[in-house]
Amino acid sequence: DAMVIQNPRYQVTQFGKPVTLSCSQTLNHNVMYWYQQKSSQAPKLLFHYYDKDFNNEADTPDNFQSRRPNTSFCFLDIRSPGLGDAAMYLCATSRGASGRYNEQFFGPGTRLTVL
Amino acid sequence: AQTVTQSQPEMSVQEAETVTLSCTYDTSESNYYLFWYKQPPSRQMILVIRQEAYKQQNATENRFSVNFQKAAKSFSLKISDSQLGDTAMYFCAFMKHDSNYQLIWGAGTKLIIKP
């Protein structure tokens, strides 16, 4: 089945130690998103790629970076995690056409713990 | 700017009952899409139902249906014959027709189905 895969599902890191989360998709979608979701809150969009074009949300901290080496993979790098960065990180994809075909498909998420 | 409001932080009903989750939104756009997403505990976010604003007919998906009132800017979700597996966070979301990425999310409603 076509899907969005996130690895690892659970990640523990130390305060200030860089960490990378990965996302892959078999849907061949143009757009890939990274969201941060804190407990019982709505997802907050960090950035997205439309093909190779990177789009950063204005309030995304510089501590968060992303890479998309090819259509299938996208990475979230947190350069110096702080305690406030502990959250669920969701990857999503969409076709990229405007309108109804821009339904977003989500991965299972990576829960990040910062010690 | 668009906003989405879910006024019920938490609801609980008995299994097999019908429950309605409310969502209101604010926009000056005439053409847009509305979504209900479901996020079960420790599981991934999935799309429950979508509604195109230009369609007067309310969307339905099996036990899930919406009451879309465009003039009132209201988009409620009705779950009939509720099941234990319906226990989840439910998020209402808005997207402009010409947007290719940005979902505006409500704060979510935690729905608990009791046996």
Side-chain angles (χ1 to χ4, degrees):
Chain A
D1 285 341
M3 57 176 53
V4 182
I5 302 160
Q6 291 189 246
N7 286 305
R9 295 291 310 276
Y10 301 91
Q11 176 73 57
V12 179
T13 191
Q14 291 180 331
F15 183 94
K17 185 174 180 181
V19 66
T20 295
L21 310 182
S22 72
C23 177
S24 63
Q25 54 131 341
T26 61
L27 297 159
N28 202 31
H29 282 171
N30 298 103
V31 191
M32 295 187 77
Y33 309 79
W34 280 106
Y35 288 92
Q36 179 192 66
Q37 186 181 30
K38 297 197 174 178
S39 181
S40 298
Q41 296 181 20
K44 177 182 182 298
L45 183 63
L46 295 174
F47 24 61
H48 75 280
Y49 275 94
Y50 194 123
D51 293 327
K52 291 183 182 243
D53 292 334
F54 177 71
N55 298 271
N56 198 33
E57 294 300 297
D59 57 354
T60 298
D62 293 340
N63 197 26
F64 291 86
Q65 304 284 318
S66 185
R67 297 169 282 134
R68 188 179 185 185
N70 54 53
T71 300
S72 301
F73 284 86
C74 196
F75 299 97
L76 170 62
D77 300 309
I78 308 177
R79 292 193 295 188
S80 181
L83 298 179
D85 297 327
M88 179 73 85
Y89 289 88
L90 303 176
C91 176
T93 72
S94 67
R95 286 193 198 182
S98 61
R100 66 175 292 177
Y101 296 106
N102 206 36
E103 172 186 338
Q104 293 188 19
F105 294 81
F106 286 82
T110 294
R111 182 165 297 283
L112 178 68
T113 300
V114 181
L115 301 176
Chain B
Q2 290 78 29
T3 59
V4 177
T5 302
Q6 293 180 249
S7 59
Q8 303 149 313
E10 185 168 327
M11 298 182 70
S12 66
V13 298
Q14 295 294 135
E15 191 176 9
E17 289 184 348
T18 293
V19 59
T20 299
L21 309 183
S22 66
C23 173
T24 58
Y25 58 95
D26 189 23
T27 184
S28 58
E29 301 286 327
S30 58
N31 204 2
Y32 49 85
Y33 299 86
L34 294 162
F35 305 89
W36 279 99
Y37 278 89
K38 170 186 177 181
Q39 189 176 34
S42 301
R43 295 179 62 188
Q44 69 198 84
M45 184 94 71
I46 57 171
L47 181 68
V48 175
I49 200 164
R50 77 165 78 78
Q51 175 79 43
E52 287 95 333
Y54 66 87
K55 288 188 176 179
Q56 291 187 330
Q57 187 173 8
N58 289 323
T60 63
E61 289 286 343
N62 300 313
R63 296 183 296 107
F64 298 86
S65 61
V66 297
N67 183 4
F68 173 49
Q69 302 289 328
K70 191 172 183 179
K73 296 180 182 173
S74 171
F75 182 60
S76 61
L77 174 70
K78 185 172 85 171
I79 306 174
S80 303
D81 186 26
S82 58
Q83 301 174 359
L84 297 179
D86 296 332
T87 292
M89 283 290 289
Y90 286 82
F91 293 98
C92 179
F94 169 99
M95 188 176 71
K96 291 193 298 182
H97 178 264
D98 61 355
S99 167
N100 61 11
Y101 75 96
Q102 189 172 29
L103 278 171
I104 309 298
W105 297 86
T109 296
K110 183 177 182 179
L111 176 64
I112 299 169
I113 308 299
K114 296 181 288 187

